[in-house]
Amino acid sequence: MASLISNNEGLLIQPAIQLRKGYLVAFPTETVYGLGADASNESAVIRVYEIKRRPKSHPLIVHIAEKEKIIYWTKKIPDYVFSLIEYFWPGPLTLILNKSRKAGDFITSGQDTIALRMPQHPISQTLLLNFQSLGGHGIVGPSANKFGRVSPTTANAVLAELGDSLSVNDLILDGGPCSIGIESTILNCSEETPVLMRPGAITREMLIEKLDRDIDIYDSEGTGKPVRFSGNLKHHYKPNAQVILNEQPVPGAGLIALSNYTTPKGVIRLAAPHDEFEFAKMLYHALRLGDEKKIDKIYVFEPENNGIGIALRDRLKKASS
Ligand code: TXA
Ligand code: MG
């Protein structure tokens, strides 16, 4: 069982030391909590796969402390990428780039690209900077859940999800609830035209506006070069309960819907967000709450298909499939 460190234990030197020693540290980001390991330490990264029960064929995101670290991990960076990181980093945007020789096959699943992200949460930033000052180059951070399940958005959710599998030398940092609540936008920048792989809080429209160029959307049924990544599986982000979309909830079932939707008699309201941002922030917590209450069906009324609503509908489609 790992120790849980609360957010007022400030300097985060010890967690950075534990990472450099090869232990795992779960940490908060603005999107969801990640399960961190030293991206240059193969045996630590292998433990991440084992603890998550994640197939080896699904590569990991490397989190970096500074924009400049992009040079260490990648090569042949298209020019437009510099505008992107200028504007959107630190933040909830992951970029897929051609990897340098520094990036081991054990983080990229043998693919010739690597996913990089510079998070914005003060705890992840401090942790990354301390880790870098100890000679580290990046921290892998898949969402801190078992493969295929709901991402954790609080330290307690990480503890419930992975606590039994972590050892006494591993840590879970508590940074409170994540402010965004769903995983980062993933943009593949390994070719001349960027491709949106996973929608998130940074929307395609925001990217197009900043770049002043078009962005393709990844088509998993298309004939393009096959790319392996778990968010692209049909089933993902799944609680124990069955998730049912846009249908009238029955008594005894759970309900997640915007606050203007009244809870029918006998239905257990799990979240009543006021807008789509609050929806994102509450969604995973509400799905977990449904499981805690041993509810077997959770009804969700989807938000509209624009802005962060596009990402929410993407996650809900997979959670309900
Ligand atoms: O918000 C986030 O991105 C969180 C926080 C902790 O940073 N992390 C996260 O990691 O969501 P994960 O592993 O749960 O999801 C990352 C996705 C996976 O679907 C993975 O397969 C894909 O990114 N991915 C990683 N490297 C890739 C690569 N080189 N090419 C294509 N997909 C890649
Ligand atoms: Mg994940």
mmCIF file of all heavy atoms in Angstrom, residues 205-243:
data_model
loop_
_atom_site.group_PDB
_atom_site.id
_atom_site.type_symbol
_atom_site.label_atom_id
_atom_site.label_comp_id
_atom_site.label_asym_id
_atom_site.label_seq_id
_atom_site.Cartn_x
_atom_site.Cartn_y
_atom_site.Cartn_z
ATOM 1 N N GLU A 205 -11.281 23.571 -32.737
ATOM 2 C CA GLU A 205 -11.468 24.967 -33.169
ATOM 3 C C GLU A 205 -10.386 25.864 -32.576
ATOM 4 O O GLU A 205 -9.841 26.738 -33.249
ATOM 5 C CB GLU A 205 -12.848 25.491 -32.738
ATOM 6 C CG GLU A 205 -14.024 24.935 -33.531
ATOM 7 C CD GLU A 205 -14.196 23.425 -33.395
ATOM 8 O OE1 GLU A 205 -14.009 22.891 -32.275
ATOM 9 O OE2 GLU A 205 -14.477 22.780 -34.424
ATOM 10 N N MET A 206 -10.066 25.655 -31.309
ATOM 11 C CA MET A 206 -9.019 26.469 -30.673
ATOM 12 C C MET A 206 -7.671 26.242 -31.360
ATOM 13 O O MET A 206 -6.899 27.179 -31.577
ATOM 14 C CB MET A 206 -8.902 26.105 -29.174
ATOM 15 C CG MET A 206 -10.072 26.584 -28.327
ATOM 16 S SD MET A 206 -10.207 25.660 -26.765
ATOM 17 C CE MET A 206 -8.853 26.357 -25.852
ATOM 18 N N LEU A 207 -7.396 25.003 -31.710
ATOM 19 C CA LEU A 207 -6.118 24.680 -32.362
ATOM 20 C C LEU A 207 -6.071 25.293 -33.758
ATOM 21 O O LEU A 207 -5.070 25.893 -34.161
ATOM 22 C CB LEU A 207 -5.935 23.163 -32.441
ATOM 23 C CG LEU A 207 -5.770 22.452 -31.080
ATOM 24 C CD1 LEU A 207 -5.954 20.940 -31.224
ATOM 25 C CD2 LEU A 207 -4.396 22.753 -30.488
ATOM 26 N N ILE A 208 -7.171 25.169 -34.495
ATOM 27 C CA ILE A 208 -7.221 25.711 -35.857
ATOM 28 C C ILE A 208 -7.045 27.225 -35.817
ATOM 29 O O ILE A 208 -6.302 27.809 -36.619
ATOM 30 C CB ILE A 208 -8.547 25.318 -36.552
ATOM 31 C CG1 ILE A 208 -8.543 23.819 -36.855
ATOM 32 C CG2 ILE A 208 -8.771 26.126 -37.832
ATOM 33 C CD1 ILE A 208 -9.844 23.267 -37.410
ATOM 34 N N GLU A 209 -7.691 27.855 -34.845
ATOM 35 C CA GLU A 209 -7.605 29.310 -34.752
ATOM 36 C C GLU A 209 -6.163 29.775 -34.500
ATOM 37 O O GLU A 209 -5.670 30.687 -35.134
ATOM 38 C CB GLU A 209 -8.520 29.819 -33.643
ATOM 39 C CG GLU A 209 -8.725 31.313 -33.706
ATOM 40 C CD GLU A 209 -9.339 31.857 -32.432
ATOM 41 O OE1 GLU A 209 -10.301 31.235 -31.931
ATOM 42 O OE2 GLU A 209 -8.823 32.881 -31.950
ATOM 43 N N LYS A 210 -5.485 29.070 -33.604
ATOM 44 C CA LYS A 210 -4.107 29.473 -33.279
ATOM 45 C C LYS A 210 -3.140 29.165 -34.398
ATOM 46 O O LYS A 210 -2.191 29.897 -34.650
ATOM 47 C CB LYS A 210 -3.631 28.755 -32.007
ATOM 48 C CG LYS A 210 -3.989 29.443 -30.745
ATOM 49 C CD LYS A 210 -3.344 30.826 -30.642
ATOM 50 C CE LYS A 210 -4.295 31.746 -29.925
ATOM 51 N NZ LYS A 210 -4.232 33.146 -30.309
ATOM 52 N N LEU A 211 -3.385 28.036 -35.084
ATOM 53 C CA LEU A 211 -2.428 27.599 -36.106
ATOM 54 C C LEU A 211 -2.713 28.207 -37.459
ATOM 55 O O LEU A 211 -1.846 28.243 -38.326
ATOM 56 C CB LEU A 211 -2.475 26.076 -36.249
ATOM 57 C CG LEU A 211 -1.811 25.279 -35.148
ATOM 58 C CD1 LEU A 211 -1.891 23.802 -35.476
ATOM 59 C CD2 LEU A 211 -0.358 25.697 -34.991
ATOM 60 N N ASP A 212 -3.975 28.629 -37.644
ATOM 61 C CA ASP A 212 -4.407 29.122 -38.935
ATOM 62 C C ASP A 212 -4.152 28.074 -40.031
ATOM 63 O O ASP A 212 -3.663 28.380 -41.113
ATOM 64 C CB ASP A 212 -3.686 30.451 -39.254
ATOM 65 C CG ASP A 212 -4.410 31.187 -40.380
ATOM 66 O OD1 ASP A 212 -5.609 30.902 -40.576
ATOM 67 O OD2 ASP A 212 -3.772 32.013 -41.055
ATOM 68 N N ARG A 213 -4.447 26.817 -39.689
ATOM 69 C CA ARG A 213 -4.376 25.742 -40.687
ATOM 70 C C ARG A 213 -5.339 24.654 -40.267
ATOM 71 O O ARG A 213 -5.780 24.605 -39.126
ATOM 72 C CB ARG A 213 -2.957 25.195 -40.805
ATOM 73 C CG ARG A 213 -2.494 24.494 -39.526
ATOM 74 C CD ARG A 213 -1.046 24.114 -39.589
ATOM 75 N NE ARG A 213 -0.828 23.053 -40.547
ATOM 76 C CZ ARG A 213 0.372 22.794 -41.097
ATOM 77 N NH1 ARG A 213 1.415 23.541 -40.794
ATOM 78 N NH2 ARG A 213 0.520 21.810 -41.931
ATOM 79 N N ASP A 214 -5.655 23.755 -41.203
ATOM 80 C CA ASP A 214 -6.662 22.750 -40.888
ATOM 81 C C ASP A 214 -6.070 21.617 -40.056
ATOM 82 O O ASP A 214 -4.858 21.402 -40.034
ATOM 83 C CB ASP A 214 -7.288 22.196 -42.174
ATOM 84 C CG ASP A 214 -8.641 21.548 -41.871
ATOM 85 O OD1 ASP A 214 -9.212 21.838 -40.788
ATOM 86 O OD2 ASP A 214 -9.112 20.744 -42.691
ATOM 87 N N ILE A 215 -6.947 20.921 -39.356
ATOM 88 C CA ILE A 215 -6.542 19.783 -38.539
ATOM 89 C C ILE A 215 -7.452 18.622 -38.884
ATOM 90 O O ILE A 215 -8.679 18.749 -38.844
ATOM 91 C CB ILE A 215 -6.653 20.154 -37.043
ATOM 92 C CG1 ILE A 215 -5.524 21.121 -36.700
ATOM 93 C CG2 ILE A 215 -6.637 18.922 -36.153
ATOM 94 C CD1 ILE A 215 -5.507 21.586 -35.297
ATOM 95 N N ASP A 216 -6.851 17.483 -39.255
ATOM 96 C CA ASP A 216 -7.655 16.300 -39.553
ATOM 97 C C ASP A 216 -8.125 15.664 -38.253
ATOM 98 O O ASP A 216 -7.544 15.880 -37.196
ATOM 99 C CB ASP A 216 -6.810 15.274 -40.332
ATOM 100 C CG ASP A 216 -6.541 15.730 -41.760
ATOM 101 O OD1 ASP A 216 -7.267 16.629 -42.228
ATOM 102 O OD2 ASP A 216 -5.607 15.197 -42.387
ATOM 103 N N ILE A 217 -9.156 14.839 -38.386
ATOM 104 C CA ILE A 217 -9.604 14.070 -37.215
ATOM 105 C C ILE A 217 -9.271 12.615 -37.485
ATOM 106 O O ILE A 217 -9.526 12.103 -38.584
ATOM 107 C CB ILE A 217 -11.122 14.237 -36.985
ATOM 108 C CG1 ILE A 217 -11.442 15.714 -36.744
ATOM 109 C CG2 ILE A 217 -11.596 13.374 -35.815
ATOM 110 C CD1 ILE A 217 -12.910 16.009 -36.561
ATOM 111 N N TYR A 218 -8.687 11.952 -36.495
ATOM 112 C CA TYR A 218 -8.301 10.559 -36.678
ATOM 113 C C TYR A 218 -9.531 9.692 -36.897
ATOM 114 O O TYR A 218 -10.510 9.770 -36.162
ATOM 115 C CB TYR A 218 -7.534 10.062 -35.450
ATOM 116 C CG TYR A 218 -7.124 8.620 -35.574
ATOM 117 C CD1 TYR A 218 -6.169 8.243 -36.515
ATOM 118 C CD2 TYR A 218 -7.688 7.635 -34.772
ATOM 119 C CE1 TYR A 218 -5.785 6.921 -36.646
ATOM 120 C CE2 TYR A 218 -7.304 6.315 -34.895
ATOM 121 C CZ TYR A 218 -6.354 5.965 -35.833
ATOM 122 O OH TYR A 218 -5.985 4.660 -35.958
ATOM 123 N N ASP A 219 -9.458 8.856 -37.934
ATOM 124 C CA ASP A 219 -10.576 7.995 -38.273
ATOM 125 C C ASP A 219 -10.134 6.555 -38.023
ATOM 126 O O ASP A 219 -9.359 5.989 -38.785
ATOM 127 C CB ASP A 219 -10.922 8.240 -39.755
ATOM 128 C CG ASP A 219 -11.922 7.227 -40.274
ATOM 129 O OD1 ASP A 219 -12.502 6.503 -39.447
ATOM 130 O OD2 ASP A 219 -12.105 7.175 -41.504
ATOM 131 N N SER A 220 -10.634 5.979 -36.928
ATOM 132 C CA SER A 220 -10.152 4.644 -36.549
ATOM 133 C C SER A 220 -10.566 3.582 -37.573
ATOM 134 O O SER A 220 -9.964 2.526 -37.648
ATOM 135 C CB SER A 220 -10.647 4.258 -35.157
ATOM 136 O OG SER A 220 -12.039 4.405 -35.120
ATOM 137 N N GLU A 221 -11.614 3.878 -38.344
ATOM 138 C CA GLU A 221 -12.030 2.897 -39.361
ATOM 139 C C GLU A 221 -11.367 3.187 -40.717
ATOM 140 O O GLU A 221 -11.521 2.437 -41.661
ATOM 141 C CB GLU A 221 -13.553 2.921 -39.540
ATOM 142 C CG GLU A 221 -14.267 1.908 -38.672
ATOM 143 C CD GLU A 221 -14.995 2.561 -37.507
ATOM 144 O OE1 GLU A 221 -15.869 3.398 -37.779
ATOM 145 O OE2 GLU A 221 -14.679 2.247 -36.360
ATOM 146 N N GLY A 222 -10.617 4.295 -40.751
ATOM 147 C CA GLY A 222 -10.020 4.713 -42.026
ATOM 148 C C GLY A 222 -8.889 3.799 -42.467
ATOM 149 O O GLY A 222 -8.529 2.846 -41.791
ATOM 150 N N THR A 223 -8.316 4.134 -43.584
ATOM 151 C CA THR A 223 -7.300 3.251 -44.151
ATOM 152 C C THR A 223 -5.885 3.773 -43.912
ATOM 153 O O THR A 223 -4.925 3.208 -44.405
ATOM 154 C CB THR A 223 -7.497 3.117 -45.672
ATOM 155 O OG1 THR A 223 -7.653 4.435 -46.198
ATOM 156 C CG2 THR A 223 -8.703 2.269 -46.001
ATOM 157 N N GLY A 224 -5.778 4.866 -43.139
ATOM 158 C CA GLY A 224 -4.458 5.456 -42.880
ATOM 159 C C GLY A 224 -3.548 4.497 -42.134
ATOM 160 O O GLY A 224 -3.938 3.403 -41.761
ATOM 161 N N LYS A 225 -2.323 4.930 -41.895
ATOM 162 C CA LYS A 225 -1.341 4.118 -41.168
ATOM 163 C C LYS A 225 -1.923 3.749 -39.801
ATOM 164 O O LYS A 225 -2.381 4.616 -39.067
ATOM 165 C CB LYS A 225 -0.090 4.979 -40.998
ATOM 166 C CG LYS A 225 1.116 4.225 -40.505
ATOM 167 C CD LYS A 225 2.360 5.051 -40.775
ATOM 168 C CE LYS A 225 3.151 5.311 -39.524
ATOM 169 N NZ LYS A 225 4.112 6.373 -39.644
ATOM 170 N N PRO A 226 -1.945 2.476 -39.438
ATOM 171 C CA PRO A 226 -2.545 2.124 -38.150
ATOM 172 C C PRO A 226 -1.722 2.679 -36.980
ATOM 173 O O PRO A 226 -0.504 2.605 -36.984
ATOM 174 C CB PRO A 226 -2.526 0.596 -38.148
ATOM 175 C CG PRO A 226 -1.529 0.201 -39.170
ATOM 176 C CD PRO A 226 -1.407 1.319 -40.150
ATOM 177 N N VAL A 227 -2.390 3.279 -36.038
ATOM 178 C CA VAL A 227 -1.721 3.806 -34.843
ATOM 179 C C VAL A 227 -2.361 3.109 -33.654
ATOM 180 O O VAL A 227 -3.575 2.991 -33.579
ATOM 181 C CB VAL A 227 -1.951 5.324 -34.706
ATOM 182 C CG1 VAL A 227 -1.136 5.882 -33.563
ATOM 183 C CG2 VAL A 227 -1.619 6.039 -35.991
ATOM 184 N N ARG A 228 -1.518 2.642 -32.738
ATOM 185 C CA ARG A 228 -2.086 1.979 -31.561
ATOM 186 C C ARG A 228 -2.165 2.970 -30.420
ATOM 187 O O ARG A 228 -1.176 3.544 -30.015
ATOM 188 C CB ARG A 228 -1.181 0.827 -31.128
ATOM 189 C CG ARG A 228 -1.169 -0.330 -32.078
ATOM 190 C CD ARG A 228 -0.468 -1.487 -31.416
ATOM 191 N NE ARG A 228 0.854 -1.105 -30.928
ATOM 192 C CZ ARG A 228 1.964 -1.316 -31.593
ATOM 193 N NH1 ARG A 228 1.942 -1.896 -32.754
ATOM 194 N NH2 ARG A 228 3.114 -0.953 -31.091
ATOM 195 N N PHE A 229 -3.335 3.196 -29.910
ATOM 196 C CA PHE A 229 -3.447 3.911 -28.644
ATOM 197 C C PHE A 229 -4.763 3.567 -27.981
ATOM 198 O O PHE A 229 -5.776 3.411 -28.625
ATOM 199 C CB PHE A 229 -3.208 5.421 -28.809
ATOM 200 C CG PHE A 229 -4.288 6.174 -29.505
ATOM 201 C CD1 PHE A 229 -5.071 7.075 -28.795
ATOM 202 C CD2 PHE A 229 -4.518 6.002 -30.849
ATOM 203 C CE1 PHE A 229 -6.058 7.798 -29.427
ATOM 204 C CE2 PHE A 229 -5.506 6.728 -31.489
ATOM 205 C CZ PHE A 229 -6.273 7.618 -30.779
ATOM 206 N N SER A 230 -4.706 3.429 -26.648
ATOM 207 C CA SER A 230 -5.829 2.822 -25.947
ATOM 208 C C SER A 230 -7.083 3.680 -26.006
ATOM 209 O O SER A 230 -8.189 3.154 -26.069
ATOM 210 C CB SER A 230 -5.441 2.538 -24.510
ATOM 211 O OG SER A 230 -4.767 3.628 -23.956
ATOM 212 N N GLY A 231 -6.939 5.016 -25.983
ATOM 213 C CA GLY A 231 -8.110 5.881 -26.031
ATOM 214 C C GLY A 231 -8.913 5.649 -27.306
ATOM 215 O O GLY A 231 -10.065 6.055 -27.414
ATOM 216 N N ASN A 232 -8.299 4.968 -28.261
ATOM 217 C CA ASN A 232 -8.977 4.758 -29.529
ATOM 218 C C ASN A 232 -9.753 3.434 -29.562
ATOM 219 O O ASN A 232 -10.464 3.139 -30.497
ATOM 220 C CB ASN A 232 -7.920 4.970 -30.622
ATOM 221 C CG ASN A 232 -7.755 3.901 -31.644
ATOM 222 O OD1 ASN A 232 -8.721 3.370 -32.135
ATOM 223 N ND2 ASN A 232 -6.535 3.610 -32.012
ATOM 224 N N LEU A 233 -9.687 2.671 -28.458
ATOM 225 C CA LEU A 233 -10.480 1.458 -28.386
ATOM 226 C C LEU A 233 -11.955 1.832 -28.263
ATOM 227 O O LEU A 233 -12.289 2.872 -27.719
ATOM 228 C CB LEU A 233 -10.062 0.633 -27.163
ATOM 229 C CG LEU A 233 -8.607 0.149 -27.177
ATOM 230 C CD1 LEU A 233 -8.276 -0.522 -25.862
ATOM 231 C CD2 LEU A 233 -8.352 -0.773 -28.338
ATOM 232 N N LYS A 234 -12.820 0.929 -28.708
ATOM 233 C CA LYS A 234 -14.259 1.222 -28.641
ATOM 234 C C LYS A 234 -14.746 1.235 -27.191
ATOM 235 O O LYS A 234 -15.619 1.984 -26.813
ATOM 236 C CB LYS A 234 -15.045 0.190 -29.447
ATOM 237 C CG LYS A 234 -14.944 0.448 -30.944
ATOM 238 C CD LYS A 234 -16.236 0.043 -31.646
ATOM 239 C CE LYS A 234 -16.210 0.405 -33.116
ATOM 240 N NZ LYS A 234 -15.394 -0.547 -33.907
ATOM 241 N N HIS A 235 -14.170 0.340 -26.358
ATOM 242 C CA HIS A 235 -14.591 0.288 -24.954
ATOM 243 C C HIS A 235 -13.486 0.903 -24.111
ATOM 244 O O HIS A 235 -12.349 0.478 -24.203
ATOM 245 C CB HIS A 235 -14.771 -1.156 -24.483
ATOM 246 C CG HIS A 235 -15.539 -1.994 -25.441
ATOM 247 N ND1 HIS A 235 -16.900 -2.104 -25.378
ATOM 248 C CD2 HIS A 235 -15.133 -2.732 -26.495
ATOM 249 C CE1 HIS A 235 -17.302 -2.903 -26.362
ATOM 250 N NE2 HIS A 235 -16.264 -3.289 -27.060
ATOM 251 N N HIS A 236 -13.844 1.867 -23.293
ATOM 252 C CA HIS A 236 -12.834 2.505 -22.457
ATOM 253 C C HIS A 236 -13.566 3.333 -21.424
ATOM 254 O O HIS A 236 -14.782 3.492 -21.512
ATOM 255 C CB HIS A 236 -11.947 3.395 -23.354
ATOM 256 C CG HIS A 236 -10.529 3.470 -22.876
ATOM 257 N ND1 HIS A 236 -9.691 2.401 -22.895
ATOM 258 C CD2 HIS A 236 -9.807 4.488 -22.344
ATOM 259 C CE1 HIS A 236 -8.510 2.760 -22.419
ATOM 260 N NE2 HIS A 236 -8.555 4.023 -22.068
ATOM 261 N N TYR A 237 -12.836 3.851 -20.453
ATOM 262 C CA TYR A 237 -13.422 4.758 -19.454
ATOM 263 C C TYR A 237 -14.645 4.139 -18.785
ATOM 264 O O TYR A 237 -15.656 4.793 -18.565
ATOM 265 C CB TYR A 237 -13.824 6.090 -20.119
ATOM 266 C CG TYR A 237 -12.797 6.641 -21.075
ATOM 267 C CD1 TYR A 237 -13.032 6.696 -22.448
ATOM 268 C CD2 TYR A 237 -11.575 7.124 -20.612
ATOM 269 C CE1 TYR A 237 -12.086 7.203 -23.330
ATOM 270 C CE2 TYR A 237 -10.623 7.629 -21.495
ATOM 271 C CZ TYR A 237 -10.887 7.658 -22.848
ATOM 272 O OH TYR A 237 -9.959 8.156 -23.715
ATOM 273 N N LYS A 238 -14.581 2.823 -18.495
ATOM 274 C CA LYS A 238 -15.783 2.108 -18.061
ATOM 275 C C LYS A 238 -15.885 1.907 -16.545
ATOM 276 O O LYS A 238 -14.966 1.357 -15.931
ATOM 277 C CB LYS A 238 -15.824 0.735 -18.721
ATOM 278 C CG LYS A 238 -16.454 0.749 -20.113
ATOM 279 C CD LYS A 238 -16.370 -0.602 -20.762
ATOM 280 C CE LYS A 238 -17.703 -1.245 -21.025
ATOM 281 N NZ LYS A 238 -18.658 -0.440 -21.762
ATOM 282 N N PRO A 239 -17.019 2.313 -15.941
ATOM 283 C CA PRO A 239 -17.277 1.943 -14.539
ATOM 284 C C PRO A 239 -17.859 0.519 -14.486
ATOM 285 O O PRO A 239 -18.070 -0.093 -15.533
ATOM 286 C CB PRO A 239 -18.327 2.974 -14.106
ATOM 287 C CG PRO A 239 -19.075 3.294 -15.358
ATOM 288 C CD PRO A 239 -18.091 3.125 -16.511
ATOM 289 N N ASN A 240 -18.132 0.004 -13.281
ATOM 290 C CA ASN A 240 -18.789 -1.314 -13.177
ATOM 291 C C ASN A 240 -20.213 -1.237 -13.701
ATOM 292 O O ASN A 240 -20.708 -2.173 -14.326
ATOM 293 C CB ASN A 240 -18.842 -1.783 -11.718
ATOM 294 C CG ASN A 240 -17.454 -1.992 -11.154
ATOM 295 O OD1 ASN A 240 -16.528 -2.353 -11.894
ATOM 296 N ND2 ASN A 240 -17.293 -1.745 -9.867
ATOM 297 N N ALA A 241 -20.888 -0.125 -13.397
ATOM 298 C CA ALA A 241 -22.286 0.033 -13.805
ATOM 299 C C ALA A 241 -22.387 0.122 -15.326
ATOM 300 O O ALA A 241 -21.451 0.528 -16.005
ATOM 301 C CB ALA A 241 -22.860 1.305 -13.185
ATOM 302 N N GLN A 242 -23.568 -0.236 -15.834
ATOM 303 C CA GLN A 242 -23.843 -0.048 -17.262
ATOM 304 C C GLN A 242 -24.180 1.430 -17.472
ATOM 305 O O GLN A 242 -24.980 1.996 -16.713
ATOM 306 C CB GLN A 242 -25.034 -0.936 -17.639
ATOM 307 C CG GLN A 242 -25.379 -0.893 -19.098
ATOM 308 C CD GLN A 242 -26.732 -1.549 -19.374
ATOM 309 O OE1 GLN A 242 -27.383 -2.075 -18.462
ATOM 310 N NE2 GLN A 242 -27.141 -1.502 -20.627
ATOM 311 N N VAL A 243 -23.567 2.048 -18.457
ATOM 312 C CA VAL A 243 -23.849 3.464 -18.738
ATOM 313 C C VAL A 243 -24.821 3.540 -19.915
ATOM 314 O O VAL A 243 -24.587 2.934 -20.967
ATOM 315 C CB VAL A 243 -22.547 4.234 -19.059
ATOM 316 C CG1 VAL A 243 -22.842 5.672 -19.453
ATOM 317 C CG2 VAL A 243 -21.594 4.191 -17.861
#
